[in-house]
Amino acid sequence: MFVLQALDIHHTFSSTEVLKGVSLQLQPGETVALTGPSGSGKSTLLHLLAGLEKPSQGQVMWGDAEVSTLKGTALDRLRNQHIGLVFQQHYLLSDLTVLQNALVPGWIQARHPQEEALELLARVGLSHRLQHYPSQLSGGERQRVALVRAVMNRPEVILADEPTGNLDQHNTQEVMKLLLELARERGSGVLLVTHDQALASRADRVLKLLDGSLVN
Ligand SMILES: Nc1ncnc2c1ncn2[C@@H]1O[C@H](COP(=O)(O)OP(=O)(O)O)[C@@H](O)[C@H]1O
Ligand SMILES: [Mg+2]
């Protein structure tokens, strides 16, 4: 049983085919790096896998659910169970505190796992920032909050799109170490877009996207 599958996905933006038949399968708990030059379609693929957009052709499966058959709250609820997202832009809610941002995925599931959030925020070194707002944090701190939010529901897969693209070397190493550690501890798989070869080599597998197709 695969936790996430792309089945012959094609995607076209205004008559340009950006993805040209991409298929991939992720096993439970597997860590996969996705590499490829700028413009090769990595972010587009992650958006489709997250169900944020529909592919022009082909299917995305979360477990045995075909994503294009879902919509509205059913889509949101299933995404929240299956997928954790960490993007280059942190997408934290600016009117909520650090602690509240970490609790948002739980609210969607009608849970209020305050203790778990506090424990995870301590793990990523943010116990002293619980009542701060995103605008009061450094870039590295924001990505650590985004990471906690992504792992809160123990999603089957964390989709991470160059999550450290805006960070310095020290913060990049720190955020990546935490991402891989927390995912492993909590049983989540990871699909990580990265240009960092050293980081990619720490994954179970490396996929390369070239001009809209996966190559070996
Ligand atoms: N919303 C969009 N509308 C039109 N073209 C897009 C859109 N998003 C991405 N593209 C184009 O699709 C191609 C792949 O982009 P992207 O998936 O962002 O690549 P990568 O993440 O590998 O750099 C690029 O040529 C980009 O300009
Ligand atoms: Mg991209």
Side-chain angles (χ1 to χ4, degrees):
M1 179 74 174
F2 297 110
V3 290
L4 178 66
Q5 293 186 82
L7 303 171
D8 196 24
I9 284 186
H10 294 251
H11 199 63
T12 303
F13 287 121
S14 51
S15 82
T16 304
E17 197 174 39
V18 171
L19 294 175
K20 304 171 180 172
V22 171
S23 297
L24 61 84
Q25 272 113 12
L26 262 72
Q27 310 260 11
E30 198 179 17
T31 302
V32 176
L34 178 62
T35 64
S38 183
S40 57
K42 305 181 298 296
S43 294
T44 302
L45 178 58
L46 258 65
H47 277 88
L48 299 176
L49 293 174
L52 298 172
E53 242 174 294
K54 281 186 187 176
S56 311
Q57 259 186 72
Q59 296 171 330
V60 173
M61 309 280 299
W62 296 336
D64 54 15
E66 196 212 310
V67 173
S68 68
T69 64
L70 306 167
K71 46 181 180 269
T73 49
L75 175 61
D76 292 339
R77 200 173 329 105
L78 267 189
R79 180 188 299 116
N80 202 255
Q81 284 169 17
H82 286 269
I83 307 284
L85 296 172
V86 197
F87 288 154
Q88 190 164 347
Q89 287 283 330
H90 54 80
Y91 296 116
L92 297 175
L93 299 170
S94 58
D95 293 337
L96 299 186
T97 64
V98 163
L99 180 57
Q100 288 168 335
N101 266 286
L103 286 167
V104 166
W107 293 341
I108 296 165
Q109 310 275 346
R111 295 190 306 130
H112 195 74
Q114 175 117 352
E115 261 179 47
E116 192 176 3
L118 290 173
E119 200 181 301
L120 284 167
L121 288 166
R123 270 296 296 286
V124 303
L126 290 176
S127 293
H128 61 306
R129 291 277 188 263
L130 301 178
Q131 306 305 332
H132 285 62
Y133 291 89
S135 62
Q136 301 172 303
L137 304 177
S138 71
E141 289 173 331
R142 283 185 206 131
Q143 280 307 52
R144 283 184 272 150
V145 180
L147 176 54
V148 167
R149 185 185 52 182
V151 302
M152 272 297 284
N153 284 336
R154 299 179 186 275
E156 287 176 341
V157 182
I158 296 168
L159 299 177
D161 191 359
E162 306 191 55
T164 59
N166 290 325
L167 302 182
D168 62 26
Q169 186 61 19
H170 171 74
N171 277 297
T172 295
Q173 295 306 323
E174 186 61 22
V175 167
M176 280 304 170
K177 183 172 149 275
L178 288 166
L179 167 62
L180 296 174
E181 266 176 29
L182 290 179
R184 191 158 299 143
E185 280 168 29
R186 298 169 72 83
S188 298
V190 177
L191 180 60
L192 169 69
V193 173
T194 181
H195 290 292
D196 184 332
Q197 290 307 317
L199 205 59
S201 67
R202 284 168 64 185
D204 299 325
R205 263 189 309 141
V206 181
L207 300 174
K208 186 166 185 191
L209 197 57
L210 209 56
D211 193 23
S213 301
L214 287 176
V215 295
N216 290 316

